[in-house]
Amino acid sequence: MKLLHFTLGPVQGFVSQARRTRDLWSGSFLLSYLSGQAMRAVLDGGGKVIFPEVGDQPSITDPLLAAIMGHPLSGNKNPQIGSLPNRFKAEVPDDFDPKRCRDAVQSRWQEIADTIWERYVAPVAGHGKGTKEIWKRQVESFWEMSWVLGEDPGDRSDQRWLDLRKNWRTHHPPAEPGDKCTLMGNWQEISGYVRAKERDAQKEFWNELRRKSGELNLGEHERLCAIALIKRLFPGVAEDAIGWKLEAGTWPSTPYMAAVPWIEEAHERSEAEEYLNILQEDGTPRWAFGEYDTKLPCLRGAGRFAKLDGNLFHKTALDNERAMPELSAQKREKLLDVLSKLNRAVGHPASPFYALLLMDGDRLGSLLQHDQIDPKDVSRALARFTEGVDEIVGEHCGRTVYAGGDDVLALLPLDRALSAAEKLRERFLKSFDDVLGVRRPKGEDGEPLRTTISAGIVFAHYNTTLRSVMREAHRLLDEVAKDKNGRDSLAVSVLTGSGRTVEWVSGWEESPGGTLIARHLQNLASSFDEQFAGRFFYNVRERFGVLTGEDDHTLIPGLDAEKLLVAEYLKSREREGDREKAEAVIEQLLKVCRERRGGEPADEGTLDVSGAMLVRFLATKGRGVER
C-alpha cells in the first residue's frame, strides 16, 4: 500500500466570490461534494481514506460521502451541508492511479454543468456570441487538482507533501478575453459580447437567460461566467444532477439574518398582521415572500410574517424605490407608517447587522506529525466536532454554510454570534479531550499538548458585499487571530459599506483556564444603558489614543489607566459618590481592553480602546451606524 495526498481547488476563488448567501452555501457544498467524488474513486479502487475520518466500506459515517456512495445514513438521506474538506489522505493499492480521482471530479462536474447547460443556457445560446465555446472552455479548465503518491516514510513527513507540491505550479487557466463576470471578475461572462460596442445584444442575451432561469435566480445587472452561473443554478437541478433535492429556498438573505432577533419580537404584534394586510392589497409583489422558509429554529411557528423578504423589515430598504419598484408610492407610504408603529411596539427597529463566523483549528499539521499522536485519533476527534456543529449553530438561530474537519463557516444573528463561537470552541476542545484523554502527549513545557481553535467574526451591514465580508473574515482569522495574536484567539470586526469601523482581538480566556473574555463583552453590552452614558466610550477613545504608543497599545509608563477610566466614568454619569460601583464596572471593561495573546494572561501595560467600542456596538446592535 502507498499513501496518497489529494487536494482540490481553488477554494477561495470558488466559494468566497458570492453575492447571495445561497451562493456561499452552494459553492461550499459543491466543493465538498466534488471532493467526495475523489474519495469515492479511492474507495472504489480498493483504498481507504485515513484523513478525515469518514468510516470504512460499507459503513461510511460521513453523511455526504455516504449519500455519494449510494448508501445514505438513516435519517440523513439528503445532506444539505458540505462536510468533506477539499484535501484528504488515503491508503491506496500500489497500482492505484491518482488520475482516477481527477477524472471522477471532472466527470461529475461536467455532468452538473451539462444539466444546467441543457436546461437553462442551451435554449438561449443562439442569442450569444460564442457562448458554447466560452462555456466549454471555462468548465473544462476551472478546477486545479494536485496529489502526491508515495511510500509511507514512517516519520509523518508525508504531511508536508502537498505543501511542497504547491510550489510546483502546473495549472494554468486559459486567458479570458472580453467583458468579465460581475461575480467572478477574472472570468469572461458567457454572452460573448463587449458591452462598450454591443450593449443591446448583450442585454438581450441576459434578458432571455433571466426569463429562462427565473428572474429571482439572476439579478437585473448580473452577467455571469459559466462557473458563477453553475454555482447559482446548481441547487435547482440538484435532484437530476446528484440524485437528491437541495433546499435552496431556505437560505435567509443578509437583511433577513440581520432582522431575526427583531422578527422574534415583532411577529406576535397586531401591527405585524396589519403590515401583511397592506402588503397584500391589490396583489402581493412576486418577491415579497422570498424568505418563504428559512428553517431557523427560533422562528418556528412565527407564521407568514416571518416568511417575508428580508428587505421588508428595514426602513432604509423599504424606502428605496429602486430596490422595490413594484410598490406603488401609496402602498410604500402605508407600509412605512405601519413599520414605524411596529418598531415602536417592539421598542426598536431591526438591526442592519448580521454576523459571519469563520473558525479553524490551530496547528493541526504539527499535531498530525507528532510521533506520539495517532493521526486516526485526530481524525476521530474532528469527526466528533463536525457532528455537533450544525446543532450548535441552529440553537443560536443561525445557518451552517460548511462544517468539515476543523473548519466552520456560519451565518448568525448579531446577538448570538459570540455565544455560538464559545459553544463551538467548547465542542472542539471536548472532542479532542474525549478521544485523546490521558494519551495526550506533553509538550516542551511538560504540560499536555493543547488543542486549540481560532475564530473570526465579522459583524457586517447587510448591504456590504458578501465578497468583502468573506475577505474580511479570512483576514481576521488568518492574519489577526492566528498570525498576530498567536492562535487560540477570537478576532472580531465591524464592517460597513464604507469600511472597517472596529477591530478587536483577544485570547479566548481572560487568563489560562479563566472566564471566557466574550462573556465580559456580552455582560457589559447587556447592561450598557444602565452602566454607561453620554460620550463615555468616545471620550475614552479620544483621550487614551494619545496616551498609548503610536504603533501599539502600550500605555505610557506610570499611567494608571483604571483611575483615569473611573474618573471619566464618574464624570459621564455624574456619580461622584458611587466610586465602588464605578471601579467594578471599569475593572470588567479593562478585561476586554487589554492585549491578550492566545493562551496567555493579559498584558496589564496595554489599553486597546477597540474593546470599549465593540461593547458599544454590541449594546446598540449597530442601530444608528451609518454605512
Side-chain angles (χ1 to χ4, degrees), residues 422-625:
E422 289 179 359
K423 292 295 184 182
L424 288 168
R425 173 182 180 263
E426 180 182 329
R427 171 83 185 195
F428 185 86
L429 300 182
K430 187 175 187 304
S431 296
F432 275 88
D433 286 342
D434 288 346
V435 173
L436 296 181
V438 296
R439 292 178 289 117
R440 190 188 294 267
K442 295 182 178 180
E444 296 179 358
D445 58 0
E447 296 295 321
L449 282 177
R450 300 176 68 242
T451 312
T452 62
I453 191 169
S454 294
I457 297 177
V458 183
F459 293 117
H461 191 285
Y462 69 77
N463 272 334
T464 308
T465 65
L466 265 177
R467 283 173 291 181
S468 299
V469 178
M470 281 295 294
R471 186 164 54 245
E472 174 71 356
H474 282 284
R475 186 195 69 85
L476 276 178
L477 179 62
D478 299 332
E479 298 178 22
V480 181
K482 289 179 178 280
D483 294 345
K484 177 184 175 182
N485 215 57
R487 295 172 171 76
D488 192 19
S489 297
L490 168 65
V492 181
S493 71
V494 176
L495 196 64
T496 70
S498 58
R500 187 184 313 116
T501 61
V502 176
E503 180 184 301
W504 173 88
V505 64
S506 172
W508 289 97
E509 301 160 336
E510 64 175 70
S511 59
T515 304
L516 291 173
I517 198 68
R519 300 280 173 86
H520 294 304
L521 283 172
Q522 295 171 89
N523 290 340
L524 288 164
S526 65
S527 60
F528 180 83
D529 291 335
E530 176 187 348
Q531 301 290 0
F532 302 104
R535 287 181 48 83
F536 173 77
F537 286 97
Y538 290 106
N539 291 340
V540 169
R541 181 171 64 179
E542 291 169 3
R543 292 170 190 178
F544 278 89
V546 298
L547 298 177
T548 57
E550 293 183 7
D551 300 321
D552 56 28
H553 303 116
T554 303
L555 286 165
I556 294 173
L559 185 69
D560 191 327
E562 185 169 358
K563 286 184 178 179
L564 287 173
L565 281 171
V566 168
E568 182 62 44
Y569 177 84
L570 291 172
K571 178 182 176 183
S572 69
R573 301 292 299 194
E574 299 181 355
R575 290 178 174 178
E576 291 298 337
D578 204 1
R579 179 170 293 274
E580 185 175 338
K581 185 173 183 179
E583 289 174 348
V585 171
I586 295 306
E587 180 183 2
Q588 188 171 41
L589 181 63
L590 281 171
K591 291 182 186 298
V592 303
C593 292
R594 301 291 196 194
E595 287 195 346
R596 182 182 291 97
R597 289 176 63 83
E600 298 178 8
D603 185 344
E604 300 294 334
T606 61
L607 183 76
D608 180 4
V609 295
S610 63
M613 302 313 295
L614 180 57
V615 168
R616 184 182 186 279
F617 172 82
L618 292 171
T620 61
K621 296 180 173 56
R623 290 187 285 267
V625 175

Side-chain angles (χ1 to χ4, degrees), residues 319-359:
D319 207 21
N320 184 350
E321 293 183 14
R322 292 180 61 187
M324 302 181 190
E326 294 182 27
L327 289 180
S328 66
Q330 184 180 16
K331 179 178 282 192
R332 188 188 307 274
E333 186 176 347
K334 287 183 178 180
L335 288 172
L336 284 167
D337 180 59
V338 177
L339 183 60
S340 294
K341 290 195 295 184
L342 187 50
N343 286 338
R344 288 194 295 272
V346 173
H348 55 79
S351 169
F353 286 84
Y354 71 97
L356 186 141
L357 169 65
L358 186 65
M359 301 185 77

Side-chain angles (χ1 to χ4, degrees), residues 8 28-44 54 57 60-73 76-79 81-85 104-105 108 112 234 241-244:
L8 169 67
S28 297
F29 184 90
L30 262 173
L31 183 67
S32 187
Y33 175 82
L34 292 174
S35 183
Q37 297 300 321
M39 293 182 188
R40 178 175 185 169
V42 166
L43 297 172
D44 289 345
V54 296
Q57 288 268 49
I60 300 298
T61 56
D62 180 86
L64 180 54
L65 186 58
I68 289 171
M69 299 296 294
H71 305 289
L73 302 180
N76 203 340
K77 295 182 179 180
N78 300 313
I81 299 171
S83 55
L84 299 169
V105 170
R108 179 57 70 178
I112 293 169
F234 162 66
I242 67 173
W244 68 87

Side-chain angles (χ1 to χ4, degrees), residues 265-340:
E265 298 184 68
H267 76 88
E268 293 181 337
R269 310 279 179 169
S270 60
E271 292 85 354
E273 188 64 30
E274 183 181 357
Y275 193 79
L276 282 172
N277 291 336
I278 292 174
L279 184 65
Q280 295 170 108
E281 286 178 357
D282 305 320
T284 306
R286 72 187 191 287
W287 47 264
F289 288 92
E291 313 290 348
Y292 54 87
D293 189 2
T294 61
K295 300 291 185 183
L296 297 176
C298 62
L299 295 178
R300 286 174 186 153
R304 195 165 167 78
F305 183 76
K307 297 178 181 180
L308 287 173
D309 181 273
N311 286 297
L312 288 166
F313 301 126
H314 299 276
K315 180 181 181 300
T316 303
L318 183 59
D319 207 21
N320 184 350
E321 293 183 14
R322 292 180 61 187
M324 302 181 190
E326 294 182 27
L327 289 180
S328 66
Q330 184 180 16
K331 179 178 282 192
R332 188 188 307 274
E333 186 176 347
K334 287 183 178 180
L335 288 172
L336 284 167
D337 180 59
V338 177
L339 183 60
S340 294

